[in-house]
Amino acid sequence: MERLLEVENLRVSFHTYAGDVKAVRGISFGVDKGETLALVGESGCGKSVTAKALMRLFDRTSGEILEGSKIRFDGTDVMALDKKALHAFRGSQIGMIFQDPMTSLDPTMTIGKQVGETLVIHKGISMRDAEAQAVELLRMVEIPNPEERVKAYPHQLSGGMRQRVVIATALACNPKLLIADEPTTALDVTIQAQVLDLLRDLKVRLGTAIILVTHDLGIVADFSDRIQVMYAGQIVEEGTKNDIFKRCLHPYTWALLRSIPQENATGTTLYSLTGTPPDLLLDIHGCPFASRCEYCMQICRQKMPERTECSGTHAVSCWLMHPMAPKVECPIPRGGDDARE
Amino acid sequence: MPVSETLVQVENLKQYFPVRHGRILKAVDGVSFSIRRGETYGLVGESGCGKSTTGRAVLGIYRPTEGRVLYDGKDINTLSKPERLKFKKRAQMIFQDPYACLDPRMTISSIIKEGMEVHFSYSRQEADAKVRELLAHVGLTEDYASRFPHELSGGQRQRIGIARALAVEPEFIVCDEPIAALDVSIQAQVVNLLMRVQQELGHAYLFISHDLSMVRHISNHVGVMYLGSLVETAPSEEIYTHPCHPYTKALFSAIPKPDPDADWANTRTKLQGEVPSPINTPPGCKFCARCPYAMQRCREEAPPLRDIGNGHQVACYLD
């Protein structure tokens, strides 16, 4: 399949009074056309920062994408774009959906104007034409009575409807990539299911590639083609849905999967990780997960493990993969069958 | 103390709030259930279904519009002043947001001591010893006592919230979304702590959450609320394996399963539309506007909770 996005050695730091918070620490990945890639991990692991970096949504004063980071999107070198070109690039090539639909919509503008604004900026049409197109976009995201709703303000809509408006805005210019940063976290489960159905349907219809940022492994299992597990600003494991859920190899991925309550083990003690993620102000020598890992070896604290490719799709960064490392059984029952050779 | 004894009995609880233009918001509309000593009752539902309001009403934070809350056989809203103080010692609450529920200007030690000072007459040494004991109990070291909330992570703060509730030695704790603001691995830690404390001290929980899999894990009984009404209640395993109400079925199947082979998108029960406004709700079943099986009768008359065996009650006309 054709590559749409190629990221190489992406590093993002935030300048604070206490020092530089190194939120993303040299990650490389790619997205194919029409593919759905999920970034999973706990808060502070750098998944949202990665998503924002793809559109360079930082100003110099707060976050900075460090020298040497490469982002190529469909033949464009995103890092080389000047201010004007970047402005034209955002929204037209890549659309973005944020977690909270209330804060990503302007409370003083009607729905029609907000959806239309994107079209006015990127397609240079008049606001009147744009609002007419907005009706069609609202119909596409299955908002009932779109002719009426274009005149409504965000506060008159429910959370689920607002998120549909945000999706309509993000897709207004038919972008090749949609970045969805926790798109359903603020929604109730039945509404979440509806919004996910809508996204799935639009993905097939428009052929848009999606980068889904989430902490919900249920959504990931259902929605994504490929998964990248992030920890402390690094990708610790990546693979297809089946690679991650059935054959995962990294102890952190095991921990994530094991902390989900199992249906046949109610009332028992849940598996939980001890300790906390490392301080991102500091340099990390060795594996970032070493201090919380129950299989930690001496080398894990000294040297960052190399990325090991297990198959064409599956790669993991863990010293347990080294030929000299002790063989460890995957502790998850359902993944145990074909976990390790 | 026999295990089966009822500790909290909620009878036809109604909690209405007046809103503008003389309209009425029926947050809780005729809810009945009971919680036994040492057991966990899980209350689930989507936002705005009245589960938190129910939790607060059970603690007497609101005065019910109608109905009663019996605690150990006594109506909590007709208690005398000294009785009420005693009730407040016996029933405690853990809140959702570990950032908002701790006073940022107080040290951890004074946060934990605040309740103890009202209900017990400890000397300073005794109180300090008690704080150390509680901190150890929730898995924190004693040097946290002199720290302030901002120095703690979300999971640690939630442990302080739990320690504060345990400080007055309650027998009943309302946990209002105690894990909603936490990360998955931290959620597991807090749920483990709540279960361990319950095993050791034997108190009852009203566990309010929208996380259905966690509720299944911790609860003995589960109640499902929709728009102010309890639509189904049963022992935990029973309700998760045999959900009867169309809403319960849809709600349970709306959770994405962490299984790549589940084909969730095509196998689940789909629900059209959104939760209607709880203001001036029409008569009849609250769910009938979204229910795929709604009949004429459902629109006219609200179905009462009826027993279908195995301690399972459902408010639906369908068999």
Side-chain angles (χ1 to χ4, degrees), chain A residues 42-43 158 161 188-190 192-194 197 200 218 221-222 245-246 263 265-273, chain B residues 46-47 183 185 188-189 192 195 216-217 237 251 256-261 264-265 268 270-271 273-274 290:
Chain A
E42 295 178 273
S43 25
S158 67
M161 285 298 149
D188 274 316
V189 276
T190 60
Q192 165 176 292
Q194 292 173 358
D197 275 347
R200 192 190 334 269
D222 167 56
F245 280 92
K246 294 182 179 164
E263 291 186 356
T266 54
T268 54
T269 306
L270 288 168
Y271 176 81
S272 72
L273 272 176
Chain B
E46 296 179 272
S47 27
D183 260 321
S185 66
Q189 290 175 14
N192 284 342
M195 291 196 298
R216 178 179 195 167
H217 195 82
E237 272 321 295
L251 183 68
K257 299 202 171 33
D259 173 5
D261 300 327
W264 173 73
R268 69 190 171 81
K270 291 188 183 177
L271 210 51
E274 300 188 6
R290 292 172 86 191

Side-chain angles (χ1 to χ4, degrees), chain B residues 11-16 28-32 228-230 286 305:
Chain B
E11 288 177 358
N12 192 28
L13 179 75
K14 290 185 183 176
Q15 192 72 55
Y16 296 172
V28 179
D29 199 10
V31 164
S32 307
S229 302
L230 196 65
K286 297 273 171 58
L305 269 183

Side-chain angles (χ1 to χ4, degrees), chain A residues 262-335:
Chain A
Q262 296 296 313
E263 291 186 356
N264 48 13
T266 54
T268 54
T269 306
L270 288 168
Y271 176 81
S272 72
L273 272 176
T274 49
T276 47
D279 188 345
L280 294 175
L281 281 165
L282 308 174
D283 285 320
I284 301 169
H285 303 288
C287 172
F289 189 58
S291 63
R292 301 173 83 187
C293 180
E294 52 187 291
Y295 310 100
C296 179
M297 299 172 288
Q298 202 175 5
I299 186 143
C300 301
R301 298 184 193 279
Q302 291 160 354
K303 207 158 171 261
M304 177 66 200
E306 299 262 314
R307 183 171 178 277
T308 315
E309 297 207 359
C310 320
S311 68
T313 51
H314 193 182
V316 61
S317 299
C318 180
W319 280 116
L320 287 176
M321 298 308 295
H322 195 272
M324 306 226 331
K327 294 281 166 271
V328 175
E329 284 295 312
C330 171
I332 309 165
R334 75 179 144 216

Side-chain angles (χ1 to χ4, degrees), chain B residues 126-141:
Chain B
E126 279 173 328
D128 283 335
K130 187 83 195 179
V131 167
R132 282 198 294 276
E133 186 192 312
L134 284 162
L135 283 175
H137 214 93
V138 297
L140 296 173
T141 54

Side-chain angles (χ1 to χ4, degrees), chain A residues 22-127:
Chain A
K22 300 166 199 73
V24 176
R25 297 168 175 239
I27 62 170
S28 305
F29 64 96
V31 180
D32 289 337
K33 282 194 173 148
E35 180 188 47
T36 304
L37 171 73
L39 300 180
V40 295
E42 295 178 273
S43 25
C45 73
K47 53 191 194 304
S48 288
V49 177
T50 305
K52 281 188 184 161
L54 300 180
M55 286 169 93
R56 284 176 58 196
L57 285 174
F58 304 109
D59 51 19
R60 281 241 153 198
T61 49
S62 57
E64 192 189 345
I65 301 174
L66 300 180
E67 286 290 320
S69 308
K70 289 200 184 94
I71 304 170
R72 292 192 69 79
F73 182 84
D74 209 16
T76 320
D77 183 356
V78 179
M79 292 307 292
L81 295 176
D82 60 16
K83 209 173 169 184
K84 209 174 150 195
L86 192 60
H87 207 72
F89 171 76
R90 292 174 183 154
S92 67
Q93 301 291 315
I94 306 183
M96 187 147 183
I97 311 170
F98 296 94
Q99 173 173 350
D100 184 352
M102 197 60 221
T103 46
S104 50
L105 292 173
D106 185 336
T108 66
M109 273 168 89
T110 62
I111 299 304
K113 282 216 163 64
Q114 305 204 34
V115 178
E117 199 182 26
T118 328
L119 295 164
V120 172
I121 292 169
H122 292 293
K123 293 198 171 158
I125 58 175
S126 71
M127 190 44 120

Side-chain angles (χ1 to χ4, degrees), chain A residues 149-191:
Chain A
R149 292 301 177 120
V150 286
K151 295 186 213 107
Y153 287 89
H155 76 269
Q156 294 168 304
L157 270 63
S158 67
M161 285 298 149
R162 279 184 212 139
Q163 199 60 295
R164 285 169 193 265
V165 172
V166 176
I167 293 171
T169 315
L171 293 176
C173 293
N174 225 332
K176 298 186 189 96
L177 174 68
L178 180 68
I179 301 173
D181 188 356
E182 304 265 7
T184 56
T185 308
L187 307 175
D188 274 316
V189 276
T190 60
I191 307 301

